């Protein structure tokens, strides 16, 4: 039987607003679970105004601009409670936040992250791009094993409490990649960042990508988005 997941596309929003929204959903779901009620599952899609986020164990040395320069560029900064290091979110990037109870799927964080990666890889296949995993590094890449040609197209970082997830993935579609020049993305030296638009040489229909992501999420997770 397909597991039902409530889908919401909440559009372009400030980072903190959506972080707080996820935290509220997580708290509600933990409370439901503690009372013996299976919590609802959610998949949120959003875009953020320009923001750098640093994971809980990330290294601030990977931020290459100071606060004054961030203010000048109108980009926010938050040290947050997900895994992973520093990344950038901005308009033209599709950010997906599954708030799901892995007790209803599979209680294995490795499986969960590989499944999120598979959703992205299947979506890239539609555009004739071969998405790959990079050994020891979460996310999706192009030419992951070709030294000097590695390009990251999707970053991932999650939090999990009582087997309920939050945070998720950020797929570069049409976003301005120059913002990544001000950080060492994901704390990984000497590797590039790319986007669907960069690889294909044209702007990509965001709604088309969202539809593909939804279909592939359903396929990989055995879910029905409602």
């Amino acid at each position: 039987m397909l597991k039902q997941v409530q889908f919401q596309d909440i559009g372009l929003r400030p980072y903190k607003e959506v972080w707080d929204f996820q935290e509220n959903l997580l708290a509600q779901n933990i409370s439901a679970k503690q009372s013996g009620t299976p919590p609802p599952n959610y998949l949120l899609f959003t875009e953020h105004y320009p923001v750098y986020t640093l994971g809980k164990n990330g290294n601030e040395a990977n931020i290459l601009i100071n606060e004054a320069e961030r203010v000048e560029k109108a980009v926010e900064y938050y040290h947050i409670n997900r895994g992973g290091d520093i990344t950038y979110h901005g308009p033209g990037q599709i950010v997906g936040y599954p708030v799901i109870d892995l007790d209803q799927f599979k209680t294995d964080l490795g499986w969960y992250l590989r499944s999120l990666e598979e959703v992205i890889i299947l979506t890239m296949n539609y555009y004739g791009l071969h998405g790959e995993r990079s050994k020891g590094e979460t996310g999706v890449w192009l030419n992951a094993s070709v030294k000097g040609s590695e390009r990251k197209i999707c970053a991932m970082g999650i939090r999990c409490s009582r087997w309920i997830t939050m945070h998720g993935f950020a797929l570069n579609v049409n976003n301005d990649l120059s913002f990544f020049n001000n950080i060492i993305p994901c704390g990984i030296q000497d590797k590039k960042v790319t986007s669907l638009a960069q690889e294909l040489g044209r702007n990509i229909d965001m709604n088309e990508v969202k539809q593909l992501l939804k279909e592939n999420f359903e396929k990989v997770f055995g879910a029905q988005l409602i």
Side-chain angles (χ1 to χ4, degrees):
M1 185 175 176
L2 295 176
K3 304 161 190 75
Q4 292 203 329
V5 177
Q6 298 180 33
F7 173 75
Q8 295 182 51
D9 185 343
I10 58 177
L12 182 62
R13 299 290 183 95
Y15 185 84
K16 185 65 164 60
E17 177 186 321
V18 183
W19 184 15
D20 288 344
F21 183 42
Q22 289 184 79
E23 291 282 9
N24 288 335
L25 291 179
L26 180 69
Q28 290 170 22
N29 282 8
I30 288 174
S31 178
K33 198 169 182 179
Q34 288 173 331
S35 72
T37 304
N41 298 299
Y42 301 93
L43 175 61
L44 311 176
F45 279 1
T46 187
E47 295 174 59
H48 290 305
Y49 293 102
V51 61
Y52 295 120
T53 66
L54 181 70
K56 60 184 176 182
N57 296 318
N59 185 351
E60 288 194 342
N62 292 324
I63 307 168
L64 306 179
I65 61 172
N66 59 35
E67 183 178 355
E69 291 169 319
R70 290 198 301 268
V71 170
E72 182 183 342
K73 295 176 182 293
V75 55
E76 293 187 299
Y77 166 70
Y78 292 99
H79 194 170
I80 63 172
N81 58 354
R82 60 161 171 77
D85 206 282
I86 188 78
T87 196
Y88 165 76
H89 301 306
Q93 179 192 69
I94 298 173
V95 183
Y97 293 132
V99 182
I100 62 175
D101 177 15
L102 291 181
D103 268 324
Q104 299 177 37
F105 292 84
K106 185 175 182 177
T107 52
D108 182 330
L109 291 182
W111 169 85
Y112 175 61
L113 286 166
R114 302 296 82 77
S115 297
L116 285 182
E117 290 166 349
E118 188 65 19
V119 171
I120 304 302
I121 289 168
L122 291 174
T123 300
M124 291 172 63
N125 285 348
Y126 177 85
Y127 295 99
L129 297 173
H130 180 56
E132 298 177 319
R133 297 174 178 88
S134 180
K135 188 175 180 180
E137 297 170 337
T138 301
V140 179
W141 303 71
L142 290 152
N143 287 7
S145 59
V146 182
K147 189 163 180 60
S149 184
E150 313 98 323
R151 307 184 300 286
K152 192 168 195 176
I153 197 165
C154 184
M156 293 185 183
I158 65 166
R159 180 189 173 203
C160 187
S161 179
R162 307 289 179 94
W163 290 113
I164 298 172
T165 67
M166 63 177 286
H167 300 297
F169 67 83
L171 175 62
N172 297 331
V173 182
N174 298 318
N175 46 308
D176 181 352
L177 297 178
S178 70
F179 282 93
F180 287 99
N181 297 335
N182 301 316
I183 60 174
I184 300 174
C186 304
I188 301 169
Q189 294 270 13
D190 303 323
K191 293 186 180 180
K192 298 174 183 175
V193 175
T194 191
S195 65
L196 289 177
Q198 175 90 359
E199 295 297 322
L200 299 172
R202 59 182 172 86
N203 257 28
I204 311 301
D205 184 329
M206 294 283 280
N207 288 327
E208 178 181 73
V209 181
K210 289 175 182 178
Q211 184 59 36
L212 290 166
L213 288 169
K214 290 165 64 178
E215 291 171 4
N216 290 323
F217 184 91
E218 288 182 320
K219 184 185 303 182
V220 171
F221 282 89
Q224 179 184 23
L225 297 180
I226 58 174

